[in-house]
Amino acid sequence: MLSSVAAAVIPCLGRLTVTSDDGGAPAPGSIIVANHTSLADPGVVLAALLRLDIEPVVLATAGLWRIPVLGRLLERGGHVPVHRATHRAADALGTAAAAIGAGRHVLIYGEGRLPLRTDAAEAPPEGFRSGIARLAHASGAPVVPLGQAGARRVTSGSGAKQIAGFLTAPARRPRLHVHLGSPVHLPPGVEAATAAAREAVTTAWRTAARHLGEPAAALAAR
C-alpha cells in the first residue's frame, strides 16, 4: 500500500530513473540499505523499488506511526517501528529478522537520521548506525546497497523551505535517480561491518549522483 502511494506521488514531484548493477531485483530475504537525505527520499526509494516489483518492510522511527494516515499505512503494511533510545529498540531487529526469514525484503536507512545541513546539494552518506551490522549478522542476509540522489531538490532546509519545496516541485520536476549495487556479505565484527555497509552505499550513491551530474560525486571519488 505505502509503495503504491509513493509510486503515484513521486512522478508528480520529479523525474525518477532507476539503475541496477545486476540489472534486476535483489533476491528475496535481502537487506536493502539506503542513504537518507530528505523527507522526500523514502517515497523516492519505495517508488523505485516498486518498479522492480519490490515492496519492502521498512524500518522507521516509531514517531511516524503517530502521524494520521501515514501511521495507518505503516501499520497496514507491516512495517517496523524503531523505538530509539528505549529498551524496545532491539525488538525492531528481531521483527526485521523474522521478515527476512519469511522471504521479505527489508529496507533500512544507514544513517538513521537526516543530515543537519540546509543546502540542497548532494553529499556522501554520513556515519552509519550499528543496526545494519547486527541485523545482517543475526539473519545471515546479504546487504544490497542503494544510493539515491536528487531528493534534496524536492525538499530540504528549514521548515518553510521544506513546504515550499513540496509545493513547487510539480512545476520544477527535479531529476531523481536511484541505483542498486550488487549484494555484499558484511564481514564479522560490528565496527567492520558497519564501515563496509557505509562504503557500499556510498559507492551506490556516487553512481546515482553521477547520473544527475552532481559535482559531489566526482569530489567524493578523489
Side-chain angles (χ1 to χ4, degrees):
M1 176 66 76
L2 193 60
S3 295
S4 298
V5 172
V9 171
I10 292 302
C12 300
L13 300 178
R15 294 166 288 165
L16 175 62
T17 50
V18 183
T19 53
S20 170
D21 280 346
D22 294 343
S30 297
I31 303 169
I32 301 173
V33 183
N35 62 311
H36 197 17
T37 63
S38 165
L39 290 175
D41 70 57
V44 171
V45 170
L46 289 177
L49 290 175
L50 191 58
R51 293 187 182 184
L52 300 174
D53 292 323
I54 296 173
E55 295 189 58
V57 171
V58 183
L59 271 72
T61 181
L64 296 177
W65 271 252
R66 295 194 293 270
I67 299 175
V69 182
L70 177 58
R72 289 197 294 274
L73 289 173
L74 289 166
E75 185 67 29
R76 288 177 61 184
H79 301 293
V80 182
V82 181
H83 298 269
R84 294 174 182 157
T86 74
H87 68 281
R88 299 175 62 189
D91 294 345
L93 296 183
T95 304
I100 291 169
R104 296 291 304 274
H105 295 90
V106 168
L107 173 63
I108 185 169
Y109 285 88
E111 296 109 315
R113 68 169 193 178
L114 290 171
L116 299 178
R117 56 193 176 84
T118 59
D119 62 286
E122 288 294 321
E126 297 182 348
F128 274 21
R129 297 176 182 268
S130 64
I132 296 165
R134 290 183 285 130
L135 178 59
H137 290 158
S139 64
V143 164
V144 178
L146 183 152
Q148 59 78 27
R152 289 185 69 80
R153 302 292 182 185
V154 175
T155 181
S156 57
S158 66
K161 287 184 177 180
Q162 301 266 5
I163 295 171
F166 273 118
L167 292 177
T168 61
R172 295 183 289 111
R173 291 188 53 75
R175 294 174 61 207
L176 311 165
H177 193 85
V178 169
H179 180 78
L180 276 80
S182 297
V184 296
H185 284 277
L186 301 184
V190 171
E191 186 174 344
T194 301
R198 180 171 180 261
E199 181 179 357
V201 173
T202 299
T203 299
W205 161 81
R206 189 178 296 125
T207 300
R210 281 176 178 161
H211 271 270
L212 302 185
E214 285 282 350
L219 291 174
R222 294 177 182 174

